[in-house]
Amino acid sequence: MNRPRRPGHTDGDRRPFRHPHPTVRLDTWEKALNSNANHQDGPSDPATGWWTRAVIYQIYPRSFADSNGDGIGDLPGITARLDHLVELGVDAVWLSPFYPSPQADAGYDVADYRDVDPLFGSLADADRLIAEAHARGLRVIVDLVPNHTSSAHEWFTAALAAAPGSPERDRYVFRDGRGPDGAQPPNDWQSVFGGPAWTRVTGPDGRPGQWYLHLFDTGQPDLNWDNPEVRAEFLDVLRFWLDRGVDGFRVDVAHGLIKQADLADWQEPQEILSGQEVDKPRPPMWDQDGVHEIYRDWRRVLDGYPGERILVAEAWVEPAERLARYVRPDEMHQAFNFEYLLAAWTAPAQYAVITRSLEATDAVDAPTTWVLSNHDVVRHASRLGLPVGGRRPNGIGIGDPQPDAALGLRRARAATLLMLALPGSAYLYQGEELGLPEHTTMPDEARQDPTWARSGHTERGRDGCRVPIPWEADAPSYGFGPTDASWLPQPPVWAEHALDRQRDVPGSTYELYRTALRLRRAYRLAEGPLEWLATGDEVLSFRNGALTVLTNFGDAAVPLPAGGELVHASAPLDEDGAVPTDVTVWVRTA
Ligand code: NOJ
Ligand code: CA
């Protein structure tokens, strides 16, 4: 889509991203390619449905756009900025939770699944957002949080008021404690955010009572999915949002709903990602076989609606074969590929994860997905600026080893062009199109992720990737809202990343993404197939349709694939036309 050049964008010298690429030409050849009409509805064939090739953009509502100046992003703010997403060229948005919530975990603690928190607006605002997105050809996916409710949910309030063994308590996982007076937790499980996964409640008589399970924060009691009332409730919640027109659900902690019946002790340290060999015992809280029946029920509900509604699993499950079980034909449509997100920046590691991912999803006839950043991990522009093969930090703060920002951005751009050339569907996280780094020097007093407190101030957590994003370099809160207010502090470097400093600037990260998305559609890259050309220690190269893609992970520049025309590159080539280190190129070879 061509947008008229905006006034006020002529001062290129101050722009940090100005490195025009002399050899990239995006002109007549592109027009000759197949139709690339934006945002058409996919055919209803599940093999070619819209989600199989979609680029889905994650909006973190708190941090996208603030309409009323209270420092917290909101639904009207999102609606007002939808044109940005059309201009960028994505197919759909996924909205992190906006439901009524005490915000103990930034909204992943839901007190009412059928309403909107006044912080973010109203149900009418949600309806307007959905309608305005659809009017622009954008699909809308909302977040569903079925593993736990908020402790402020009316069910949990009722459970606390009721006696042990009551139907109210049976909606959650209440147990007596161990030891003579029940003062020890029922088992040794740890919360993902640190500390024990059990909290003891005070009985109606004022004395210490039972314990309840919370795999996450104390404000997020786990539901008991063996209880039919819980199952019925969520089928109804699905229908509530499907009736409002949403195109699908991203399912939070999809691998956690069913726990091993005996709640057996688990000696291993708790991690959200539980890497497992296929035949090894499952951790008793993750990836239990019983979850799949739930998703089959949900799939039947979605299939009863017109318009290709989808389910997306957030399941930190390895290996890829095990994850693929979530996207069997009668279950979910997609699952996030976190193994890809976590893969080291080396040619062998990237080759291995790409081939494994494609094979595993091919085996169940599901599209492969790709993702590099989200609201739970260090942004990839910073992650890739850390030493390769080092520990993956859970947040970065003052006093921690700092990423190399320039290297990180260079690799992030190369990684993005590699990802967007892969067959399947890709997820983008708000702000990555601006090349935003993690806020790695946020004052600890500003942190809000429960991880920081619950880990005894050893894990800084996820605030650094959740900072409100910059739209205009010279506006208050960088254009996030009409005032200076921002629920997390924005770093000064946000000014140079602001959208208005990058739009129409050749070589900017924003234009890199925009061009990549346009070409991805024009060349039908999402459809594949992928054919490997080079899989060595330093270079990865493959053919996808008419394009040859090459990423140079080595120390020395390598020749551009011969006999083609360079159509996109993550950074300028060498003066002699070679592909430098940490650069991806797209070359038209057919
Ligand atoms: C995964 C979500 O992405 C994360 O932000 C949240 O803290 C946990 N699930 C618990 O809901
Ligand atoms: Ca607001």
Side-chain angles (χ1 to χ4, degrees), residues 65-75 118-120 480:
D66 172 20
S67 71
N68 61 357
D70 65 356
I72 300 183
D74 45 54
L75 300 188
L119 261 187
F120 300 122
F480 165 61

Side-chain angles (χ1 to χ4, degrees), residues 58 60 94 96 108 250 374-377 429 462 465-466:
Q58 179 188 358
Y60 194 65
W94 147 38
S96 281
Y108 281 95
R250 174 268 189 191
N374 66 29
H375 65 294
D376 289 331
V377 299
Y429 175 49
R462 304 160 293 174
C465 64
R466 298 176 171 182

Side-chain angles (χ1 to χ4, degrees), residues 105 108 145 148 193 216 220 250 252-253 272 314 375-376 462 466:
D105 183 23
Y108 281 95
V145 188
H148 42 264
F193 296 153
F216 295 89
Q220 295 167 298
R250 174 268 189 191
D252 190 65
V253 200
I272 199 161
E314 189 235 10
H375 65 294
D376 289 331
R462 304 160 293 174
R466 298 176 171 182

Side-chain angles (χ1 to χ4, degrees), residues 330-470:
D330 57 348
E331 296 193 38
M332 302 219 197
H333 298 74
Q334 294 187 337
F336 291 107
N337 186 348
F338 293 126
E339 198 180 341
Y340 177 72
L341 182 152
L342 298 173
W345 184 247
T346 67
Q350 296 284 320
Y351 170 68
V353 74
I354 292 168
T355 49
R356 255 203 319 269
S357 307
L358 290 168
E359 282 165 18
T361 45
D362 278 359
V364 290
D365 278 337
T368 317
T369 69
W370 312 102
V371 60
L372 288 166
S373 281
N374 66 29
H375 65 294
D376 289 331
V377 299
V378 172
R379 283 182 176 275
H380 69 285
S382 295
R383 200 171 68 234
L384 295 174
L386 294 168
V388 173
R391 179 183 164 269
R392 176 175 62 97
N394 183 359
I396 300 173
I398 295 165
D400 287 337
Q402 294 289 309
D404 177 333
L407 179 67
L409 182 57
R410 180 178 180 84
R411 287 182 172 164
R413 291 165 57 110
T416 296
L417 275 207
L418 174 57
M419 173 177 86
L420 290 176
L422 294 170
S425 171
Y427 279 81
L428 306 180
Y429 175 49
Q430 67 179 36
E432 68 169 88
E433 77 277 24
L434 306 176
L436 288 189
E438 185 88 354
H439 189 341
T440 58
T441 55
M442 183 183 293
D444 289 334
E445 313 80 72
R447 294 189 181 276
Q448 304 206 16
D449 182 352
T451 303
W452 178 231
R454 286 193 60 86
S455 69
H457 296 162
T458 57
E459 301 280 336
R460 288 213 152 84
R462 304 160 293 174
D463 295 300
C465 64
R466 298 176 171 182
V467 175
I469 65 172

Side-chain angles (χ1 to χ4, degrees), residues 559-565 587-589:
L560 197 64
E565 180 189 4
V587 176
R588 182 185 177 215
T589 45

